[in-house]
Amino acid sequence: MSFFSNIFNKKDGSDIRMSDPFINPIKVEFHSHLIHGVDDGSQTLEHTLDVLKIYAEMGYEKVITTPHVMSDYYKNGPENVLPKVDEIRKGLTERNIQIQFEAAAEYMVDEGLEDKIKNNETLLTFGGNNKYILIELPFMTEPRNFKKVTFDLFMAGYKPVLAHPERYLYYSIKKKDFEEIADRGILLQANILSMVGYYSKQVEKAVEYLIENKLINFVGSDLHHIKHADIIKNDAFNTKLYRKAVSLDLLNNTL
Ligand SMILES: [Fe+2]
């Protein structure tokens, strides 16, 4: 049995031998904060290019970055994000870094998003005609309009993808909520950093539950700075959880 069949045949992730040489099968990374100077992620073009160089070295072929959009703090949209995509692509060419680069966004479920949907504003999506839209929630309390916003998104032709469900305190306590959300057709994106215990033990346990129950559809780095890339490369890729996660039927490589 070849190394690849060894990894890919383990759909339940039950028999992953850590001594196996590991080649990350995920080629498309889609959750990060690399549009410089628009949110709490990368602040300079240089830093963004340094991170993208590491992604390329890790074997990623495409990065779809996702700056925060929050009505109170980060009023980002196509008008300020897309010109920076061009700037970053130019930098990649100049530095001869071989990686495709695109941008979508990570929308906070707030009244601003509700208004944008109502007003038919252009939203930053990914996955072409699939119109996937990455959404996030506050960490401490589920917003009252979560069901309404996701329903409105479906009605408007979008497919909502919930960022890092394992990081929301109210879901990580009673994990059954994950099933209820998935049953509503919402896709789930787990953070690679959660799998190495980067945030907390509780978050690590919650992501383990999501992986064991095959509830995740995407993995993403949620990278905000270059240190995250080092942790992913040196630690997270070597965890049993990450290797189990990538043995599931994930959608990253369809993007
Ligand atoms: Fe994020």
Side-chain angles (χ1 to χ4, degrees):
M1 186 184 279
S2 73
F3 158 66
F4 272 106
S5 54
N6 223 4
I7 290 287
F8 289 118
N9 284 343
K10 289 165 185 163
K11 285 293 175 200
D12 64 355
S14 59
D15 183 31
I16 291 170
R17 283 179 287 130
M18 297 304 286
S19 56
D20 283 346
F22 181 69
I23 295 171
N24 185 16
I26 302 298
K27 299 297 170 201
V28 183
E29 158 54 41
F30 92 93
H31 183 166
S32 63
H33 298 270
L34 290 175
I35 301 291
H36 46 294
V38 305
D39 65 7
D40 58 345
S42 180
Q43 296 304 312
T44 66
L45 176 62
E46 269 313 291
H47 180 264
T48 293
L49 295 172
D50 288 346
V51 171
L52 288 169
K53 186 164 179 277
I54 296 178
Y55 274 132
E57 287 165 1
M58 284 197 271
Y60 287 106
E61 293 167 4
K62 188 197 270 192
V63 167
I64 305 166
T65 200
T66 50
H68 288 291
V69 180
M70 295 180 189
S71 54
D72 293 344
Y73 300 105
Y74 303 119
K75 299 178 193 302
N76 296 315
E79 62 293 343
N80 72 325
V81 168
L82 298 181
K84 292 212 170 185
V85 172
D86 291 339
E87 214 180 304
I88 293 163
R89 283 181 180 157
K90 197 164 159 259
L92 289 171
T93 307
E94 279 165 11
R95 283 180 56 174
N96 198 23
I97 300 166
Q98 303 291 324
I99 200 157
Q100 295 175 61
F101 184 73
E102 294 175 10
E106 181 180 20
Y107 288 93
M108 176 59 79
V109 173
D110 56 20
E111 285 176 8
L113 179 56
E114 223 178 303
D115 289 344
K116 283 183 173 65
I117 303 165
K118 196 162 59 187
N119 299 331
N120 218 2
E121 281 182 36
T122 304
L123 300 176
L124 288 158
T125 62
F126 60 104
N129 291 336
N130 280 303
K131 289 175 83 176
Y132 295 122
I133 179 167
L134 187 65
I135 55 171
E136 67 170 330
L137 304 174
F139 289 119
M140 304 306 280
T141 329
E142 186 185 63
R144 279 179 303 168
N145 64 351
F146 181 36
K147 277 193 179 160
K148 180 182 176 355
V149 166
T150 47
F151 179 80
D152 290 350
L153 284 170
F154 280 121
M155 287 296 105
Y158 297 100
K159 290 195 180 85
V161 178
L162 181 61
H164 40 63
E166 72 278 6
R167 294 195 64 196
Y168 307 119
L169 191 66
Y170 39 97
Y171 296 150
S172 62
I173 292 170
K174 24 176 211 142
K175 301 182 187 66
K176 282 286 164 200
D177 287 347
F178 293 138
E179 268 99 349
E180 192 264 326
I181 295 167
D183 284 346
R184 278 158 50 202
I186 298 166
L187 300 168
L188 303 179
Q189 175 261 308
N191 273 11
I192 300 170
L193 289 165
S194 301
M195 299 172 201
V196 74
Y198 178 78
Y199 305 104
S200 73
K201 200 72 201 162
Q202 182 169 322
V203 171
E204 189 182 344
K205 285 277 159 215
V207 84
E208 183 179 4
Y209 179 92
L210 288 164
I211 294 167
E212 295 291 347
N213 290 282
K214 302 183 176 64
L215 287 166
I216 62 167
N217 308 100
F218 298 95
V219 289
S221 66
D222 201 2
L223 180 146
H224 283 68
H225 47 72
I226 206 158
K227 278 186 202 146
H228 285 159
D230 292 333
I231 297 167
I232 288 167
K233 191 164 90 175
N234 300 321
D235 302 321
F237 280 175
N238 291 319
T239 61
K240 279 190 177 176
L241 271 184
Y242 183 73
R243 297 190 187 189
K244 273 190 184 182
V246 298
S247 72
L248 302 175
D249 286 325
L250 300 180
L251 295 171
N252 286 66
N253 290 352
T254 68
L255 299 174

